């Protein structure tokens, strides 16, 4: 199965977005070459006609293959790039367990943990959007509780091994404090952060930003 | 790759939820045997200690294998059960395209199209939750626009073939009117409904409800 090994990859992204940082984390871990194209989401660069031709959903990241084929949705990109590597198990049930956490991330975690951070840090609406933020906090803590329970029983979120599910959930969890979440009551999540940060090829969000000059 | 072929399957679900109907649609299409256990979500049956032991996230559907292993998240269950069938392509890029639409469904579509229906039809809060509903409608129509654009260029959402991405997006799209959405301006989505309803093993949501006696 090809996973884009046969030509240069282009990632269109913005490192304000943890969804984009996920792709960077995986590509570094896999030691893959790629070109990074900055799409400034706050300046509306994901809503231009040119970008919407690539992704009608108007979201980063997107992955462009050498032949011009385009893939959207951060977690679908993770699955594609990790195919054939230990970060995405081959066996059907183990793979489905990884998928379970990837869907959990996009449905229960990112819309709350990431959006709270976006409201506070990038939109500067922490004061004006108090009700909305309170809702995000309540639902976000519920998602973190589910993760904490899982991580109390295993080293990585889907089992004994590091997979793309860890990358997906790490991206916004490790900066949850920027969205007003207090993780001091989540010791298993914190130990899991340390295990991820000790992975070969790990680079911090700050390092990723510096690398791409923004 | 095993996908649960080796023993009886149990689905815990509630056909008020399109997420549960997805699993029924796929199992019927694959002509698989399974046991259906009713979990009345409005009566809190997905929040009992017994259920939370199976899924700490407190959501239906869940799939239980003969060996007691449990899988959560409707779209992960679809991927698991469809592994090795034409409904989930083997080739990495084609599979990733299907994944792209599955993540789109859980992130942009279900939280708006399904939740609007839930507010109106099951919570009876169409009048009291007007602002929330207006937000869901705006974002839901954007998701439907993205689908319509894709379906104007191909027979099924991820390409020329029927896949689990069609099942996932059909489940709530075809009852979007119950959430206050008007699909008369979406001819490609409507023709796609007809193609799905002509699939072997198709059963309507009403038929599924009757089948399980609720």
């Amino acid at each position: 199965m090809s996973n884009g090994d046969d030509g240069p990859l282009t990632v269109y992204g913005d490192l304000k977005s943890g969804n984009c940082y996920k792709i960077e984390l995986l590509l570094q871990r896999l030691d893959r070459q790629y070109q990074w194209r900055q799409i400034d989401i706050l300046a509306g660069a994901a809503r231009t006609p040119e970008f919407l031709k690539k992704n009608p959903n108007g979201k980063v990241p997107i992955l462009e293959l050498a032949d011009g084929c385009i893939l959207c949705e951060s977690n679908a990109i993770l699955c594609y790039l990790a195919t054939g590597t230990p970060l995405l198990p081959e066996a059907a049930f183990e793979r489905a367990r990884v998928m379970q956490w990837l869907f959990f991330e996009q449905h229960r975690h990112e819309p709350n943990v990431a959006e709270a951070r976006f409201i506070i840090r990038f939109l500067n609406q922490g004061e004006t959007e108090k009700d909305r933020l309170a809702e995000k906090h309540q639902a976000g803590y519920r998602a973190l509780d589910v993760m904490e329970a899982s991580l109390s029983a295993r080293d990585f979120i889907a089992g004994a091994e590091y997979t793309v599910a860890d990358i997906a959930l790490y991206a916004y969890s490790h900066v949850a404090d920027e969205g007003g979440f207090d993780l001091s009551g989540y010791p298993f999540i914190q130990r899991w952060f340390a295990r991820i940060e000790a992975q070969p090829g790990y680079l911090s969000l700050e390092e990723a930003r510096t690398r791409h000059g923004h």
Side-chain angles (χ1 to χ4, degrees), chain A residues 92-106:
Chain A
F93 190 78
E94 285 64 34
R95 178 174 293 205
R97 261 288 160 75
V98 171
M99 305 305 311
Q100 170 187 309
W101 287 103
L102 291 175
F103 286 112
F104 168 85
E105 192 264 341
Q106 283 293 286

Side-chain angles (χ1 to χ4, degrees), chain A residues 65-79:
Chain A
L65 307 189
D67 61 6
C69 278
I70 283 177
L71 194 61
C72 308
E73 298 292 329
S74 58
N75 289 359
I77 296 170
L78 291 183
C79 289

